[in-house]
């Protein structure tokens, strides 16, 4: 049996401890925040990633424990990374609104969390899907618009731009937005939630996405009903860009079946 020197044993022990973070009581910590991570049961080679951003007042472990998000993602063979939002005086949120800067560069923090996770686990950094719910969906939308970086695709749920909405976005992206037709917390047409703090209109956002993606037609060019989902897809877009909207008859939630629907879409991107 190979015997380890004291130094080698200490190095292996340190590496094991470094990889052990990510659970409920031991979030992984970077210079600008913390995140949680879980891996699929069967890991074979580099693992694709879903980074999922929680909603207002929530935390990363809520996504990890959610069957519709966490379990569905892991069952498909993906790692789930769930960063923790900024904790203010009252609750947690993201620094997303263009006129209310809370200090942290979220795009840099997410990249930092990804790099840290990749240093601990064998992750496929070419297959990273950024998704999020509610304000996490809004944060996802702003990242996709302003700093898309190297993410392969984006999948906001029940959250989009706020007013003033972006006049344009950085470049074409792959984006799949899901929204409940009966959502009254973040209605499709938007609403005012405080003085000067107004949710934008999802259909208006899709016009911005259509222009960013260079889609020729103003209307969806393919429509289909897929279970509870009413899916609308824009074709004739820029090379390497995909744009789709899925509506469902529920309210402010991540609907059952979302994980499989979005990951099927993601895995079939050109």
């Amino acid at each position: 049996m190979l015997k380890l020197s004291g130094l080698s044993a200490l190095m292996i022990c340190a590496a094991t401890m470094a990889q052990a973070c990510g659970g409920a009581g031991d979030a992984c910590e970077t210079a600008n925040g913390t995140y949680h991570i879980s891996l699929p049961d069967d890991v074979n080679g580099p693992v694709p990633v879903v980074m999922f951003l929680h909603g207002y007042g929530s935390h990363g472990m809520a996504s990890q424990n959610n069957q519709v998000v966490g379990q569905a993602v892991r069952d498909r063979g993906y790692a789930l990374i769930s960063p923790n939002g900024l904790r203010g005086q009252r609750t947690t949120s993201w620094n997303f609104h263009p006129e209310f800067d809370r200090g942290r560069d979220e795009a840099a923090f997410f990249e930092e969390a990804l790099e840290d996770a990749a240093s601990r686990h064998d992750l496929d950094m070419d297959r990273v899907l950024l998704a999020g719910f509610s304000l996490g969906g809004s944060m996802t939308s702003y990242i996709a618009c302003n700093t898309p970086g190297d993410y392969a695709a984006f999948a906001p749920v029940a959250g989009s731009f706020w007013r003033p909405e972006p006049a344009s976005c950085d470049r074409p992206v792959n984006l799949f937005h899901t929204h409940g037709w009966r959502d009254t917390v973040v209605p499709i047409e938007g609403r005012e939630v405080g003085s000067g703090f107004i949710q934008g209109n999802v259909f208006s956002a899709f016009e911005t996405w259509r222009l960013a993606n260079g889609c020729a037609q103003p209307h969806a060019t393919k429509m289909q009903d897929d279970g509870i989902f009413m899916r609308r897809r824009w074709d004739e877009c820029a090379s390497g860009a995909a744009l789709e909207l899925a509506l469902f008859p529920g309210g402010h939630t991540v609907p059952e079946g979302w994980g499989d629907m979005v990951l099927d879409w993601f895995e079939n991107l050109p």
Side-chain angles (χ1 to χ4, degrees), residues 113-164:
L114 277 170
E115 290 172 1
D116 186 77
S119 74
R120 302 171 187 272
H121 306 280
D122 188 11
L123 304 181
D124 186 346
M125 300 299 280
D126 291 327
R127 292 190 291 164
V128 180
L129 171 68
L130 180 64
F133 170 66
S134 194
L135 281 192
S138 292
M139 186 75 257
T140 300
S141 298
Y142 280 103
I143 295 291
C145 183
N146 299 324
T147 51
D150 294 326
Y151 295 103
F154 302 88
V157 183
S160 187
F161 299 135
W162 289 58
R163 296 184 185 175

Side-chain angles (χ1 to χ4, degrees), residues 207-264:
E207 177 64 4
T208 302
W209 290 123
R210 182 186 73 82
L211 293 173
N213 277 14
C215 304
Q217 300 296 330
H219 56 275
T221 46
K222 183 173 182 180
M223 305 181 184
Q224 70 180 76
D225 290 340
D226 184 7
I228 67 167
F229 298 102
M230 298 169 284
R231 297 175 60 171
R232 303 294 180 264
R233 189 178 81 202
W234 280 253
D235 292 321
E236 302 177 36
C237 302
S239 176
L243 184 61
E244 188 159 339
L245 170 67
L247 301 175
F248 64 96
H252 193 62
T253 187
V254 182
E256 190 75 35
W258 171 84
D260 283 331
M261 175 180 66
V262 167
L263 291 177
D264 283 346

Side-chain angles (χ1 to χ4, degrees), residues 142-223:
Y142 280 103
I143 295 291
C145 183
N146 299 324
T147 51
D150 294 326
Y151 295 103
F154 302 88
V157 183
S160 187
F161 299 135
W162 289 58
R163 296 184 185 175
E165 298 175 25
S168 62
C169 290
D170 185 68
R171 61 174 172 80
V173 295
N174 298 312
L175 185 134
F176 190 118
H177 183 106
T178 307
H179 215 106
W181 188 254
R182 295 190 177 95
D183 193 336
T184 58
V185 178
V186 183
I188 293 174
E189 66 276 16
R191 70 182 178 108
E192 185 172 5
V193 296
S195 179
F197 208 54
I198 306 170
Q199 298 164 352
N201 185 306
V202 172
F203 295 116
S204 173
F206 260 76
E207 177 64 4
T208 302
W209 290 123
R210 182 186 73 82
L211 293 173
N213 277 14
C215 304
Q217 300 296 330
H219 56 275
T221 46
K222 183 173 182 180
M223 305 181 184

Side-chain angles (χ1 to χ4, degrees), residues 3-169:
K3 292 187 177 180
L4 299 173
S5 68
L7 178 59
S8 297
L10 284 172
M11 290 174 65
I12 291 175
C13 181
T16 301
M17 291 175 65
Q19 293 178 3
C21 69
D26 58 350
C28 297
E29 187 170 355
T30 69
N32 291 292
T34 60
Y35 70 92
H36 303 274
I37 183 170
S38 57
L39 300 173
D41 290 335
D42 297 321
V43 177
N44 184 18
V47 181
V49 178
V50 172
M51 177 177 276
F52 194 91
L53 309 180
H54 63 73
Y56 177 76
S58 191
H59 51 84
M61 280 306 299
S63 306
Q64 295 285 338
N65 295 331
N66 187 302
Q67 293 291 312
V68 177
V69 177
Q71 195 60 51
V73 165
R74 290 187 293 269
D75 285 349
R76 290 289 294 257
Y78 287 71
L80 177 66
I81 297 176
S82 49
N84 288 307
L86 290 161
R87 181 166 293 280
Q89 293 181 343
R90 298 175 61 184
T91 189
T92 54
S93 187
W94 303 105
N95 187 29
F96 74 95
H97 198 285
E99 294 188 350
F100 296 89
D101 188 354
R102 299 184 63 200
R104 184 168 73 178
D105 183 337
E106 301 289 31
F109 167 52
F110 300 149
E111 290 181 5
E112 184 180 86
L114 277 170
E115 290 172 1
D116 186 77
S119 74
R120 302 171 187 272
H121 306 280
D122 188 11
L123 304 181
D124 186 346
M125 300 299 280
D126 291 327
R127 292 190 291 164
V128 180
L129 171 68
L130 180 64
F133 170 66
S134 194
L135 281 192
S138 292
M139 186 75 257
T140 300
S141 298
Y142 280 103
I143 295 291
C145 183
N146 299 324
T147 51
D150 294 326
Y151 295 103
F154 302 88
V157 183
S160 187
F161 299 135
W162 289 58
R163 296 184 185 175
E165 298 175 25
S168 62
C169 290

